Amino acid sequence: MAVSATLAINQLTAERLAAGRPVLPLGFGEAGLPVHPDLVAALRVAAASGSSGGYGPVTGLPALREAAAGYWRRRCLPTTAGQVIAGPGSKPLLYAVLRASVGGVALPRPSWVTYAAQAQLLGREVHHVPTLDGQGGVPDPDLLDAAAASASAAGRPIGLVVLTLPDNPTGTLAGSGTIRSVADVARRHDLLIVSDEIYRDLVHDPVREFLSPAELAPERTVVTTGLSKNLALGGWRIGVARMPEGPLGDRLGAEVAAVASEVWSSPANPVQQAAAWAFEEPEQLTERIAASRSLHARVAGAVADRFAAAGASVHPPTAAFYLYPDFSAYADLLAERWSVRTGTELANLLLDSFDVATLPGAAFGDPDERLSLRIATSMLYGEGEQREKALTAADPVELPWVADRLDQLSAALGRLFDRG
Ligand SMILES: Cc1ncc(COP(=O)(O)O)c(C=O)c1O
């Protein structure tokens, strides 16, 4: 297996920037924002506390598990601390849940790079099921139904479906009707649902309805989340999983804890203590998340406009800091002018000849003939103090370093189509 495409593009971008190339960093999905100073203070206090050197319980500190349960209770999901397992990021928790489940793995197409890679690590069969247009992160319920039926008929049943709510790579949120239908399909075929809700707090419209499948099928839904995106704490490595209620949840929880005990023992103790405070949602952190949400919405929207102006087909992003433009309408022109026939060739051309780092849709399970790209917009906020300023700016796209990067993008896209 190769290093994850998202981490690899980050490394490549950093190397090219260090070599003096003016690379526009649209490849890596990191939140790109400073850590809130009160979180830094909480971590400092926690590290200095007498107990911080201890491993602590495998499933996480009781205070963190209780705080995460409260976070979910405030979101219409009745949760006890006993249902919560903390881990060093939601990624290893997803892996442990996948390992504890059985059967084939149904994934939305496109979907986040890691799900298919983790299934591959575990030797599990992957079924990529297309999403409905504009509703990324959730397989089309009818197609999922058909895939589950034919896998069962072939004697290799699907056991689990992963949903991403809201979605990376498309920056969209599936509607509640679609979630209801998928929950029905999951019941009918006895599928475990894994609902990755790490971007939940970054839906651009904070009053938009958010329906978790755990509200509809609590007996069979695992929910994962973390602080990597809403509070930009990816490097702190902390995530939580909410096990289903009842016997299935008890069994899964025990198996995830067994993996945890043999692989990571427990998440970093001081980080857990600070995370417990964050999951209580103190006002200053809620305000920080609201400011981040507005910033992501404004910049992702502006980047989408630039792609649309260049002729790409793109759904306006409604969550997080991603968009998924598609250049398939320009297939002939790209083949003739640049000998580009796949999304991978398009991403390579953009990086090598135009200094624009992106990821091809193929990294997210799309057929490479589809000329789609996953664009992450959060690295446009700049570095250091620029990021602080981006968070508080009345209009972040007016900031010179953001505006310059947007213009760099438009110029590159213009040259791609020979309009520059
Ligand atoms: C959909 C999705 N889930 C999970 C993660 C990883 O989260 P964590 O930092 O909690 O491991 C990411 C990070 O890119 C993501 O995009």
Side-chain angles (χ1 to χ4, degrees), residues 186-213:
R187 275 225 173 90
R188 200 153 53 243
H189 294 280
D190 197 19
L191 309 182
L192 176 70
I193 303 172
V194 174
S195 187
D196 179 346
E197 300 180 6
I198 196 154
Y199 296 100
R200 177 174 182 154
D201 296 340
L202 297 179
V203 177
H204 297 167
D205 175 358
V207 297
R208 181 168 167 189
E209 185 194 9
F210 181 103
L211 182 63
S212 172

mmCIF file of all heavy atoms in Angstrom, residues 186-213:
data_model
loop_
_atom_site.group_PDB
_atom_site.id
_atom_site.type_symbol
_atom_site.label_atom_id
_atom_site.label_comp_id
_atom_site.label_asym_id
_atom_site.label_seq_id
_atom_site.Cartn_x
_atom_site.Cartn_y
_atom_site.Cartn_z
ATOM 1 N N ALA A 186 -30.581 -0.379 5.220
ATOM 2 C CA ALA A 186 -29.652 -1.022 6.175
ATOM 3 C C ALA A 186 -30.405 -2.025 7.050
ATOM 4 O O ALA A 186 -29.921 -3.128 7.315
ATOM 5 C CB ALA A 186 -28.974 0.045 7.032
ATOM 6 N N ARG A 187 -31.603 -1.667 7.480
ATOM 7 C CA ARG A 187 -32.413 -2.605 8.298
ATOM 8 C C ARG A 187 -32.773 -3.837 7.493
ATOM 9 O O ARG A 187 -32.646 -4.962 7.961
ATOM 10 C CB ARG A 187 -33.709 -1.927 8.734
ATOM 11 C CG ARG A 187 -33.563 -1.116 9.965
ATOM 12 C CD ARG A 187 -34.729 -1.356 10.955
ATOM 13 N NE ARG A 187 -34.395 -0.634 12.174
ATOM 14 C CZ ARG A 187 -34.745 0.631 12.408
ATOM 15 N NH1 ARG A 187 -35.466 1.299 11.528
ATOM 16 N NH2 ARG A 187 -34.388 1.221 13.521
ATOM 17 N N ARG A 188 -33.209 -3.551 6.242
ATOM 18 C CA ARG A 188 -33.666 -4.664 5.397
ATOM 19 C C ARG A 188 -32.549 -5.676 5.154
ATOM 20 O O ARG A 188 -32.768 -6.870 5.140
ATOM 21 C CB ARG A 188 -34.171 -4.084 4.061
ATOM 22 C CG ARG A 188 -35.075 -4.980 3.302
ATOM 23 C CD ARG A 188 -36.048 -4.255 2.381
ATOM 24 N NE ARG A 188 -35.465 -3.312 1.466
ATOM 25 C CZ ARG A 188 -35.719 -2.001 1.465
ATOM 26 N NH1 ARG A 188 -36.533 -1.472 2.363
ATOM 27 N NH2 ARG A 188 -35.167 -1.213 0.572
ATOM 28 N N HIS A 189 -31.327 -5.182 5.009
ATOM 29 C CA HIS A 189 -30.206 -6.100 4.691
ATOM 30 C C HIS A 189 -29.311 -6.348 5.904
ATOM 31 O O HIS A 189 -28.223 -6.916 5.749
ATOM 32 C CB HIS A 189 -29.378 -5.523 3.543
ATOM 33 C CG HIS A 189 -30.122 -5.466 2.243
ATOM 34 N ND1 HIS A 189 -30.282 -6.562 1.428
ATOM 35 C CD2 HIS A 189 -30.780 -4.446 1.640
ATOM 36 C CE1 HIS A 189 -30.988 -6.206 0.352
ATOM 37 N NE2 HIS A 189 -31.303 -4.927 0.466
ATOM 38 N N ASP A 190 -29.768 -5.916 7.062
ATOM 39 C CA ASP A 190 -29.010 -6.117 8.297
ATOM 40 C C ASP A 190 -27.575 -5.569 8.198
ATOM 41 O O ASP A 190 -26.607 -6.250 8.531
ATOM 42 C CB ASP A 190 -28.986 -7.614 8.670
ATOM 43 C CG ASP A 190 -28.573 -7.805 10.124
ATOM 44 O OD1 ASP A 190 -28.668 -6.836 10.902
ATOM 45 O OD2 ASP A 190 -28.121 -8.912 10.483
ATOM 46 N N LEU A 191 -27.468 -4.321 7.743
ATOM 47 C CA LEU A 191 -26.146 -3.695 7.620
ATOM 48 C C LEU A 191 -25.837 -2.857 8.858
ATOM 49 O O LEU A 191 -26.724 -2.184 9.390
ATOM 50 C CB LEU A 191 -26.094 -2.745 6.412
ATOM 51 C CG LEU A 191 -26.548 -3.255 5.054
ATOM 52 C CD1 LEU A 191 -26.364 -2.153 4.004
ATOM 53 C CD2 LEU A 191 -25.767 -4.495 4.665
ATOM 54 N N LEU A 192 -24.592 -2.881 9.265
ATOM 55 C CA LEU A 192 -24.126 -1.907 10.253
ATOM 56 C C LEU A 192 -23.919 -0.582 9.517
ATOM 57 O O LEU A 192 -23.413 -0.570 8.392
ATOM 58 C CB LEU A 192 -22.789 -2.386 10.847
ATOM 59 C CG LEU A 192 -22.109 -1.435 11.838
ATOM 60 C CD1 LEU A 192 -22.888 -1.370 13.155
ATOM 61 C CD2 LEU A 192 -20.660 -1.888 12.121
ATOM 62 N N ILE A 193 -24.340 0.519 10.137
ATOM 63 C CA ILE A 193 -24.098 1.848 9.539
ATOM 64 C C ILE A 193 -22.973 2.506 10.327
ATOM 65 O O ILE A 193 -23.025 2.562 11.569
ATOM 66 C CB ILE A 193 -25.347 2.752 9.626
ATOM 67 C CG1 ILE A 193 -26.549 2.087 8.941
ATOM 68 C CG2 ILE A 193 -25.071 4.116 9.030
ATOM 69 C CD1 ILE A 193 -27.873 2.844 9.154
ATOM 70 N N VAL A 194 -21.964 3.001 9.615
ATOM 71 C CA VAL A 194 -20.938 3.818 10.281
ATOM 72 C C VAL A 194 -21.129 5.231 9.763
ATOM 73 O O VAL A 194 -20.995 5.486 8.565
ATOM 74 C CB VAL A 194 -19.519 3.311 9.974
ATOM 75 C CG1 VAL A 194 -18.485 4.255 10.555
ATOM 76 C CG2 VAL A 194 -19.331 1.909 10.544
ATOM 77 N N SER A 195 -21.484 6.144 10.653
ATOM 78 C CA SER A 195 -21.751 7.519 10.249
ATOM 79 C C SER A 195 -20.599 8.401 10.726
ATOM 80 O O SER A 195 -20.454 8.672 11.917
ATOM 81 C CB SER A 195 -23.081 7.980 10.859
ATOM 82 O OG SER A 195 -23.431 9.242 10.358
ATOM 83 N N ASP A 196 -19.771 8.814 9.770
ATOM 84 C CA ASP A 196 -18.605 9.652 10.079
ATOM 85 C C ASP A 196 -19.085 11.106 10.077
ATOM 86 O O ASP A 196 -19.348 11.681 9.022
ATOM 87 C CB ASP A 196 -17.535 9.389 9.011
ATOM 88 C CG ASP A 196 -16.276 10.227 9.217
ATOM 89 O OD1 ASP A 196 -16.300 11.185 10.008
ATOM 90 O OD2 ASP A 196 -15.267 9.921 8.558
ATOM 91 N N GLU A 197 -19.210 11.670 11.279
ATOM 92 C CA GLU A 197 -19.791 13.012 11.409
ATOM 93 C C GLU A 197 -18.754 14.033 11.864
ATOM 94 O O GLU A 197 -19.057 14.978 12.602
ATOM 95 C CB GLU A 197 -21.016 12.941 12.339
ATOM 96 C CG GLU A 197 -22.071 11.993 11.764
ATOM 97 C CD GLU A 197 -23.349 11.840 12.600
ATOM 98 O OE1 GLU A 197 -23.504 12.556 13.615
ATOM 99 O OE2 GLU A 197 -24.184 10.985 12.226
ATOM 100 N N ILE A 198 -17.525 13.858 11.389
ATOM 101 C CA ILE A 198 -16.445 14.730 11.859
ATOM 102 C C ILE A 198 -16.613 16.179 11.404
ATOM 103 O O ILE A 198 -16.070 17.094 12.011
ATOM 104 C CB ILE A 198 -15.070 14.156 11.459
ATOM 105 C CG1 ILE A 198 -13.962 14.832 12.262
ATOM 106 C CG2 ILE A 198 -14.803 14.267 9.966
ATOM 107 C CD1 ILE A 198 -12.729 14.033 12.442
ATOM 108 N N TYR A 199 -17.385 16.394 10.328
ATOM 109 C CA TYR A 199 -17.599 17.781 9.850
ATOM 110 C C TYR A 199 -18.959 18.337 10.279
ATOM 111 O O TYR A 199 -19.392 19.362 9.783
ATOM 112 C CB TYR A 199 -17.490 17.816 8.312
ATOM 113 C CG TYR A 199 -16.110 17.450 7.809
ATOM 114 C CD1 TYR A 199 -15.834 16.178 7.326
ATOM 115 C CD2 TYR A 199 -15.068 18.378 7.838
ATOM 116 C CE1 TYR A 199 -14.567 15.834 6.883
ATOM 117 C CE2 TYR A 199 -13.795 18.046 7.391
ATOM 118 C CZ TYR A 199 -13.549 16.764 6.919
ATOM 119 O OH TYR A 199 -12.286 16.433 6.480
ATOM 120 N N ARG A 200 -19.636 17.650 11.178
ATOM 121 C CA ARG A 200 -21.004 18.033 11.526
ATOM 122 C C ARG A 200 -21.122 19.498 11.975
ATOM 123 O O ARG A 200 -22.072 20.190 11.622
ATOM 124 C CB ARG A 200 -21.518 17.115 12.651
ATOM 125 C CG ARG A 200 -22.898 17.503 13.096
ATOM 126 C CD ARG A 200 -23.509 16.548 14.084
ATOM 127 N NE ARG A 200 -24.850 17.037 14.384
ATOM 128 C CZ ARG A 200 -25.862 16.316 14.786
ATOM 129 N NH1 ARG A 200 -25.711 15.027 14.985
ATOM 130 N NH2 ARG A 200 -27.042 16.843 15.024
ATOM 131 N N ASP A 201 -20.164 19.967 12.747
ATOM 132 C CA ASP A 201 -20.268 21.342 13.256
ATOM 133 C C ASP A 201 -19.879 22.386 12.211
ATOM 134 O O ASP A 201 -19.911 23.582 12.488
ATOM 135 C CB ASP A 201 -19.383 21.512 14.495
ATOM 136 C CG ASP A 201 -19.861 20.641 15.645
ATOM 137 O OD1 ASP A 201 -21.038 20.223 15.629
ATOM 138 O OD2 ASP A 201 -19.056 20.361 16.556
ATOM 139 N N LEU A 202 -19.489 21.909 11.028
ATOM 140 C CA LEU A 202 -19.053 22.848 9.987
ATOM 141 C C LEU A 202 -20.018 22.917 8.813
ATOM 142 O O LEU A 202 -19.643 23.295 7.703
ATOM 143 C CB LEU A 202 -17.639 22.483 9.503
ATOM 144 C CG LEU A 202 -16.543 22.589 10.576
ATOM 145 C CD1 LEU A 202 -15.184 22.195 10.002
ATOM 146 C CD2 LEU A 202 -16.471 23.985 11.187
ATOM 147 N N VAL A 203 -21.291 22.549 9.042
ATOM 148 C CA VAL A 203 -22.308 22.797 8.019
ATOM 149 C C VAL A 203 -22.464 24.319 7.951
ATOM 150 O O VAL A 203 -22.626 24.984 8.986
ATOM 151 C CB VAL A 203 -23.654 22.128 8.388
ATOM 152 C CG1 VAL A 203 -24.719 22.473 7.342
ATOM 153 C CG2 VAL A 203 -23.480 20.619 8.490
ATOM 154 N N HIS A 204 -22.348 24.875 6.755
ATOM 155 C CA HIS A 204 -22.263 26.341 6.640
ATOM 156 C C HIS A 204 -23.486 27.047 7.210
ATOM 157 O O HIS A 204 -23.361 28.092 7.836
ATOM 158 C CB HIS A 204 -22.045 26.738 5.177
ATOM 159 C CG HIS A 204 -20.742 26.225 4.627
ATOM 160 N ND1 HIS A 204 -20.445 26.221 3.294
ATOM 161 C CD2 HIS A 204 -19.645 25.679 5.241
ATOM 162 C CE1 HIS A 204 -19.230 25.711 3.097
ATOM 163 N NE2 HIS A 204 -18.735 25.363 4.263
ATOM 164 N N ASP A 205 -24.659 26.478 6.969
ATOM 165 C CA ASP A 205 -25.867 27.078 7.527
ATOM 166 C C ASP A 205 -26.160 26.373 8.859
ATOM 167 O O ASP A 205 -26.633 25.234 8.884
ATOM 168 C CB ASP A 205 -27.031 26.872 6.544
ATOM 169 C CG ASP A 205 -28.348 27.373 7.115
ATOM 170 O OD1 ASP A 205 -28.350 27.837 8.277
ATOM 171 O OD2 ASP A 205 -29.363 27.293 6.400
ATOM 172 N N PRO A 206 -25.885 27.049 9.985
ATOM 173 C CA PRO A 206 -25.961 26.347 11.263
ATOM 174 C C PRO A 206 -27.371 25.920 11.662
ATOM 175 O O PRO A 206 -27.533 25.070 12.538
ATOM 176 C CB PRO A 206 -25.386 27.361 12.267
ATOM 177 C CG PRO A 206 -25.472 28.681 11.593
ATOM 178 C CD PRO A 206 -25.487 28.448 10.117
ATOM 179 N N VAL A 207 -28.393 26.476 11.022
ATOM 180 C CA VAL A 207 -29.750 26.048 11.388
ATOM 181 C C VAL A 207 -30.319 25.019 10.405
ATOM 182 O O VAL A 207 -31.453 24.574 10.550
ATOM 183 C CB VAL A 207 -30.745 27.233 11.563
ATOM 184 C CG1 VAL A 207 -30.301 28.133 12.702
ATOM 185 C CG2 VAL A 207 -30.898 28.035 10.284
ATOM 186 N N ARG A 208 -29.524 24.629 9.441
ATOM 187 C CA ARG A 208 -29.999 23.607 8.497
ATOM 188 C C ARG A 208 -30.215 22.282 9.243
ATOM 189 O O ARG A 208 -29.430 21.917 10.124
ATOM 190 C CB ARG A 208 -28.936 23.428 7.412
ATOM 191 C CG ARG A 208 -29.326 22.418 6.389
ATOM 192 C CD ARG A 208 -28.416 22.459 5.199
ATOM 193 N NE ARG A 208 -28.652 21.284 4.395
ATOM 194 C CZ ARG A 208 -27.910 20.916 3.366
ATOM 195 N NH1 ARG A 208 -26.880 21.646 3.017
ATOM 196 N NH2 ARG A 208 -28.198 19.837 2.689
ATOM 197 N N GLU A 209 -31.263 21.570 8.857
ATOM 198 C CA GLU A 209 -31.558 20.304 9.534
ATOM 199 C C GLU A 209 -30.423 19.300 9.300
ATOM 200 O O GLU A 209 -29.942 19.137 8.170
ATOM 201 C CB GLU A 209 -32.866 19.708 8.989
ATOM 202 C CG GLU A 209 -33.253 18.457 9.749
ATOM 203 C CD GLU A 209 -34.343 17.626 9.071
ATOM 204 O OE1 GLU A 209 -34.707 17.907 7.921
ATOM 205 O OE2 GLU A 209 -34.814 16.671 9.716
ATOM 206 N N PHE A 210 -30.019 18.656 10.373
ATOM 207 C CA PHE A 210 -29.014 17.593 10.254
ATOM 208 C C PHE A 210 -29.625 16.339 10.847
ATOM 209 O O PHE A 210 -29.973 16.311 12.027
ATOM 210 C CB PHE A 210 -27.745 17.979 11.029
ATOM 211 C CG PHE A 210 -26.652 16.938 10.928
ATOM 212 C CD1 PHE A 210 -25.571 17.126 10.084
ATOM 213 C CD2 PHE A 210 -26.714 15.757 11.667
ATOM 214 C CE1 PHE A 210 -24.574 16.169 9.975
ATOM 215 C CE2 PHE A 210 -25.725 14.790 11.554
ATOM 216 C CZ PHE A 210 -24.652 14.998 10.715
ATOM 217 N N LEU A 211 -29.766 15.320 10.047
ATOM 218 C CA LEU A 211 -30.329 14.068 10.553
ATOM 219 C C LEU A 211 -29.239 13.013 10.583
ATOM 220 O O LEU A 211 -28.643 12.686 9.553
ATOM 221 C CB LEU A 211 -31.481 13.611 9.646
ATOM 222 C CG LEU A 211 -32.199 12.339 10.087
ATOM 223 C CD1 LEU A 211 -32.879 12.517 11.439
ATOM 224 C CD2 LEU A 211 -33.239 11.919 9.027
ATOM 225 N N SER A 212 -28.976 12.482 11.786
ATOM 226 C CA SER A 212 -28.004 11.396 11.895
ATOM 227 C C SER A 212 -28.749 10.074 11.762
ATOM 228 O O SER A 212 -29.830 9.905 12.339
ATOM 229 C CB SER A 212 -27.304 11.444 13.249
ATOM 230 O OG SER A 212 -26.509 10.280 13.421
ATOM 231 N N PRO A 213 -28.159 9.103 11.050
ATOM 232 C CA PRO A 213 -28.819 7.791 10.984
ATOM 233 C C PRO A 213 -28.949 7.152 12.360
ATOM 234 O O PRO A 213 -29.790 6.258 12.549
ATOM 235 C CB PRO A 213 -27.901 6.977 10.062
ATOM 236 C CG PRO A 213 -26.609 7.701 10.039
ATOM 237 C CD PRO A 213 -26.912 9.140 10.289
#
